Amino acid sequence: MDKLCIVGGRRLEGEIVVSGAKNAALPILCASLLSAEPLRLSNVPDLRDVGTMLCLLEQMGVTVTRDGNVLVLDGSRVDNPVAPYELVKTMRASILVLGPLLARFGHARVSLPGGCAIGARPVDQHIKGLQAMGAEISIEHGYIEARAPRLKGALVVTDMITVTGTENLLMAAALADGETVLENAAREPEVTDLAQLLVAMGARIDGIGTDRLVVHGVERLNGAEHSVIPDRIEAGTFLCAVGAAGGDVTLRRVLPGHLDAVVEKLREAGVTVESGEDWMRVAMSGRLKAASLRTSEFPAFPTDMQAQFMALACVAEGASQVVETIFENRFMHVQELNRLGANISVDGNTALVTGVERLSGATVMATDLRASASLVVAGLVADGETFIDRIYHLDRGYDRIEDKLRGVGANVRRISEAGEEA
Ligand SMILES: CC(=O)N[C@H]1[C@@H](OP(=O)(O)OP(=O)(O)OC[C@H]2O[C@@H](n3ccc(=O)[nH]c3=O)[C@H](O)[C@@H]2O)O[C@H](CO)[C@@H](O)[C@@H]1O
Ligand SMILES: C=C(OP(=O)(O)O)C(=O)O
C-alpha cells in the first residue's frame, strides 16, 4: 500500500489546475447505459473511482475509448445488467447503474452497497422511488433484483435529500413512460451537471437546479458530448491547504459559485479569497481565526469539506465548533489529527476544535477519502515529517494530488509499497 510523506512548514505559491469532479463524472459515466449511441465526455478526472466505474460498465458490455481526459463510451452492446459485489464494495457510487439499467433493459441485478466508514448509507430511497415508478424489487442474497417492463412516471418525495438517489431516479425517469416529479431533490451542482448531460441526450427535464425536478419521459435517448464540471471539493481542499499552510495560490478551471459556503468560512477564518469567472486566488499569512460550521446540503457547507476545514481550524486562534449533519460517523479523522497534536473533542455529531499554535509530524492512517485529505492539509502545516498510510482512499478521489501540491512548493512524496519514492 502506498503512503505519502509530507514535510510541513512550507508556504504554497503558484498555480493549480483543478480536475473534473469525481461526483459529477461517476453518474455521468453511468448515463452511457441509457443510450445505444456513444457519449463523448471531456474533463473526466483520472481517479481510482473512475477506473472502477469503467471496469463495472465494461463488464456489462459498454465499450470505452480513452484519450487523456476525454472518454467515449458506447452502450450499444450492453448484455450483462449485473453489478457484482466485488466492484460495488469498493465504490458505493456503483448503485448509480441501477436506475439506467432498469429504465433501458427492464431488469437489473445490483449488489447492495453495505455500510462504509462514514455511515450506514442505506439506499432505501433509491428503491422506494423506483418502486413508485412500477418496478418490482426484491433483495436476494445481498443483491437488489429489479424488474419493470417499462417504468412509469410517478410522484416521488424522498424522506431526505439524497444526491445519488436523485441522480438514479432522474436517469430512470428520463426513459419512463409519462411524467415523473422528484420532490425534495438534491440541488448539488453534480446533479445539475448530470441533468444537463441528459438534456443534451434528448431528455426533457424542468426545474434543473431546484428541489423539484419534473421529467417528461422519452422513448429513447441519443448520444451527446459533455464536459464534466470542475471538482469543487478538490478545489476546496486546496483552498484549505493554502489557508492552513500560508501562501498565495491561484486555482484555474474552477467554478467559484460552487464554493460560496466554503469561501465564506475561509474569510471568517482570516483567509483572503478572490475570484473571477473560472479562477480563484487564495492567500494567507499570519494566524488563522476560529470559525464554526455546520454541514448541510448544497448550497450550505458540504460534508465533503468538513474534514479539510477541521484540519485548518486545528491551528486557528480560538475554538471552532464543527457540526456534521449528513453522515453519522464522519469524524474518523479526529483521532488522527489529535495524533498530530491537535486538540479536538467530539460529542455526538459535534466536534470542538481548540486551536493550537503548531502541529507536529507523525505517522497517521487514512480512514476514508476526505479524512485522508484532512491529514494532507494537517501534514502541510506540521513540523517535520508526516507519513500518511493507506492513501488508496485518497486515490479514489484526487487526481495526482501530490504532483499538484509539489507544483506549488510543498514537500510531498509518495512512497510505493516496494519502497520507491515518487
Ligand atoms: C458519489 C457521490 O456523489 N457521493 C456523494 C453523495 O453521496 P450519497 O449520494 O451516497 O449521499 P446521500 O446524499 O444519498 O446521503 C445523504 C444522507 O441520506 C441518507 N440516505 C441516503 C439515501 C437513502 O436511500 N437513504 C438514506 O438514509 C444517507 O445515509 C446520508 O445520511 O452525496 C454525499 C452528500 O453530499 C457526499 O458526501 C458524497 O460525496
Ligand atoms: C463520500 C464521498 O464519496 P462516496 O460517496 O463515493 O463514498 C466523497 O466524495 O467525499
Side-chain angles (χ1 to χ4, degrees):
M1 270 183 279
D2 289 5
K3 31 174 117 161
L4 278 191
C5 174
I6 305 179
V7 184
R10 291 205 183 175
R11 279 172 62 79
L12 306 177
E13 310 264 353
E15 287 195 0
I16 296 177
V17 178
V18 173
S19 297
K22 164 177 96 67
N23 288 347
L26 296 175
I28 281 173
L29 293 175
C30 293
S32 64
L33 294 168
L34 287 167
S35 173
E37 294 176 21
L39 293 186
R40 186 177 187 280
L41 306 172
S42 51
N43 204 30
V44 180
D46 188 8
L47 308 170
R48 206 164 69 110
D49 271 9
V50 166
T52 305
M53 186 60 88
L54 293 177
C55 218
L56 180 60
L57 295 172
E58 280 180 315
Q59 65 90 40
M60 290 177 182
V62 175
T63 310
V64 180
T65 324
R66 180 159 206 155
D67 180 9
N69 293 112
V70 177
L71 293 184
V72 178
L73 280 81
D74 178 349
S76 61
R77 283 185 294 275
V78 174
D79 57 1
N80 181 32
V82 178
Y85 174 69
E86 290 64 36
L87 288 170
V88 176
K89 75 174 181 198
T90 66
M91 187 187 59
R92 296 184 49 84
S94 314
I95 190 70
L96 285 163
V97 300
L98 179 62
L101 284 176
L102 191 56
R104 178 155 161 235
F105 301 102
H107 61 116
R109 186 164 188 268
V110 178
S111 172
L112 270 174
C116 78
I118 62 176
R121 306 181 74 180
V123 290
D124 56 303
Q125 301 300 309
H126 304 229
I127 293 174
K128 186 181 100 169
L130 293 171
Q131 283 172 330
M133 295 168 75
E136 300 241 335
I137 299 187
S138 60
I139 311 288
E140 302 282 349
H141 309 295
Y143 276 76
I144 303 167
E145 306 272 358
R147 287 194 176 269
R150 173 126 193 238
L151 289 169
K152 293 185 182 54
L155 169 66
V156 180
V157 189
T158 47
D159 293 354
M160 77 288 294
I161 298 174
T162 155
V163 174
T164 50
T166 303
E167 291 164 347
N168 234 339
L169 297 174
L170 190 57
M171 288 190 275
L175 282 181
D177 182 16
E179 182 183 279
T180 300
V181 180
L182 302 178
E183 294 271 15
N184 207 20
R187 290 182 291 156
E188 269 62 10
E190 294 76 17
V191 177
T192 296
D193 203 31
L194 170 68
Q196 271 155 2
L197 164 77
L198 293 173
V199 167
M201 293 172 74
R204 293 174 53 216
I205 307 171
D206 294 328
I208 293 176
T210 75
D211 62 0
R212 186 171 190 272
L213 295 168
V214 181
V215 188
H216 311 273
V218 294
E219 293 264 341
R220 68 183 54 78
L221 292 168
N222 44 256
E225 289 196 9
H226 184 79
S227 179
V228 174
I229 54 167
D231 196 317
R232 63 192 168 106
I233 307 301
E234 187 202 16
T237 302
F238 292 129
L239 296 179
C240 286
V242 178
D248 189 339
V249 168
T250 300
L251 303 182
R252 299 281 175 203
R253 277 200 235 154
V254 64
L255 288 175
H258 292 171
L259 280 149
D260 287 348
V262 174
V263 168
E264 197 176 303
K265 287 295 155 191
L266 286 166
R267 289 191 177 136
E268 204 176 310
V271 181
T272 302
V273 185
E274 296 167 2
S275 56
E277 202 184 339
D278 62 352
W279 59 269
M280 297 176 89
R281 178 173 166 231
V282 52
M284 182 65 201
S285 57
R287 183 95 196 261
L288 289 155
K289 294 178 284 190
S292 294
L293 67 92
R294 183 183 183 86
T295 65
S296 196
E297 292 87 2
F298 189 82
F301 194 97
T303 174
D304 292 352
M305 280 303 303
Q306 178 254 107
Q308 303 89 312
F309 197 91
M310 191 188 286
L312 171 148
C314 286
V315 286
E317 189 171 358
S320 311
Q321 196 185 57
V322 175
V323 183
E324 171 59 51
T325 76
I326 305 291
F327 292 110
E328 64 273 21
N329 191 30
R330 210 170 195 185
F331 282 144
M332 307 273 286
H333 40 285
V334 165
Q335 218 179 338
E336 301 304 296
L337 290 171
N338 282 345
R339 281 179 53 71
L340 296 173
N343 179 358
I344 311 168
S345 58
V346 174
D347 182 10
N349 72 344
T350 304
L352 185 68
V353 186
T354 306
V356 294
E357 296 251 346
R358 52 179 282 271
L359 297 176
S360 72
T363 297
V364 286
M365 195 174 74
T367 48
D368 64 76
L369 169 54
R370 307 303 169 186
S372 320
S374 80
L375 297 175
V376 172
V377 173
L380 293 167
V381 183
D383 294 348
E385 288 183 327
T386 296
F387 289 93
I388 307 176
D389 261 341
R390 302 199 181 174
I391 55 158
Y392 56 85
H393 291 293
L394 199 63
D395 293 333
R396 273 189 54 214
Y398 289 88
D399 188 348
R400 298 170 298 109
I401 193 169
E402 69 273 26
D403 292 350
K404 291 188 181 187
L405 287 171
R406 260 202 306 266
V408 292
N411 184 340
V412 186
R413 60 189 204 278
R414 178 181 288 254
I415 304 171
S416 73
E417 206 166 3
E420 292 143 15
E421 297 197 0

